[in-house]
Amino acid sequence: MTESESGETGGDARYAVVLDYLAHGRVDDDRPQYKKKPLAYALGETTFRLFELTLAEDADVSIGDRVVVEPTADRERVESAREVAYDDVSNAAHSELEYVVADIVAGDERRFVDFYNDAQPITLRLHQLNLLPGIGKKLRNNILDERKRKPFESFEELEERVSGLHRPEEVLVERIIEELRDDDLKYKTFVGREQPTQ
């Protein structure tokens, strides 16, 4: 995806979290050192898209930093961003991925609790909740019954009210990682999806 395809956001900055920083560019780049720019791999906070970022020469960037990816006018440390596949990022980025996804889920609890509140059927036989690891028909029905009574307010409340649902935030993290790793998944609930603005 090119920058123009990634779209402008009308002033709403879109952030990504740095997974790995390569001060001397890609290892497989055969150009002379002076022609290589520093790079970073990063994960978008709203769509969980993976990016390769070309950084400004003087950019002070570390693993775990938040950087603006879109719109381009708001970028300070990033010269360009292109979307990449899971297999295109470094091993160090792979190692950081689960921690960063867990931090994003924990940091935006309302958004992810609302997934449990708002998940809908995909087909007559398949529900969005069934895409989550470890959630079968019985557990799905328990979640649906409880949310009819009253929407869930937190992960803690979800765990208390739904018998058999343990660590609901970790279930989401596991699904997001699975969606990132497997480009061929038929249904993607989190990766690549724009979140509605509040």
Side-chain angles (χ1 to χ4, degrees):
M1 177 181 286
T2 65
E3 289 175 86
S4 59
E5 289 170 331
S6 63
E8 296 300 317
T9 60
D12 292 332
R14 301 271 168 115
Y15 288 92
V17 179
V18 174
L19 301 168
D20 191 17
Y21 171 65
L22 292 77
H24 304 293
R26 257 190 258 106
V27 178
D28 61 357
D29 187 342
D30 294 334
R31 293 179 300 166
Q33 187 58 53
Y34 71 92
K35 288 190 174 182
K36 296 190 210 177
K37 293 207 172 218
L39 293 177
Y41 291 110
L43 179 69
E45 288 184 340
T46 56
T47 60
F48 294 103
R49 293 177 353 212
L50 289 164
F51 293 98
E52 181 182 274
L53 309 176
T54 303
L55 303 172
E57 290 292 342
D58 59 348
D60 182 19
V61 174
S62 300
I63 293 171
D65 285 357
R66 291 174 81 223
V67 294
V68 174
V69 177
E70 300 168 342
T72 54
D74 290 351
R75 292 182 188 158
E76 291 176 4
R77 300 182 281 179
V78 176
E79 284 188 4
S80 66
R82 71 180 183 97
E83 193 171 343
V84 292
Y86 178 84
D87 290 338
D88 295 331
V89 303
S90 65
N91 289 335
H94 288 161
S95 300
E96 287 297 312
L97 203 51
E98 189 170 340
Y99 301 109
V100 170
V101 172
D103 284 347
I104 292 170
V105 169
D108 199 354
E109 185 172 1
R110 175 82 265 153
R111 168 185 164 195
F112 293 100
V113 168
D114 279 345
F115 172 77
Y116 286 98
N117 287 324
D118 302 332
Q120 297 296 314
I122 297 170
T123 67
L124 289 174
R125 293 173 175 256
L126 183 65
H127 197 281
Q128 281 183 310
L129 291 169
N130 293 123
L131 299 177
L132 300 178
I135 296 189
K137 186 176 177 181
K138 183 177 181 203
L139 197 47
R140 177 201 67 205
N141 290 343
N142 288 350
I143 295 168
L144 294 175
D145 289 344
E146 278 298 323
R147 81 180 192 187
K148 278 182 201 167
R149 292 186 181 91
K150 182 180 133 215
F152 303 109
E153 297 293 326
S154 67
F155 288 132
E156 185 180 358
E157 185 186 337
L158 251 162
E159 202 166 350
E160 286 171 7
R161 288 175 48 197
V162 180
S163 174
L165 181 60
H166 306 292
R167 306 182 81 61
E169 66 278 17
E170 289 181 15
V171 171
L172 294 174
V173 170
E174 196 175 326
R175 175 63 192 189
I176 292 165
I177 298 292
E178 182 182 355
E179 290 184 18
L180 282 163
R181 282 186 181 141
D182 189 349
D183 273 345
D184 298 326
L185 275 181
K186 186 171 182 181
Y187 300 109
K188 290 205 174 188
T189 301
F190 301 100
V191 174
R193 291 278 174 102
E194 292 293 331
Q195 299 303 316
T197 51
Q198 301 298 324

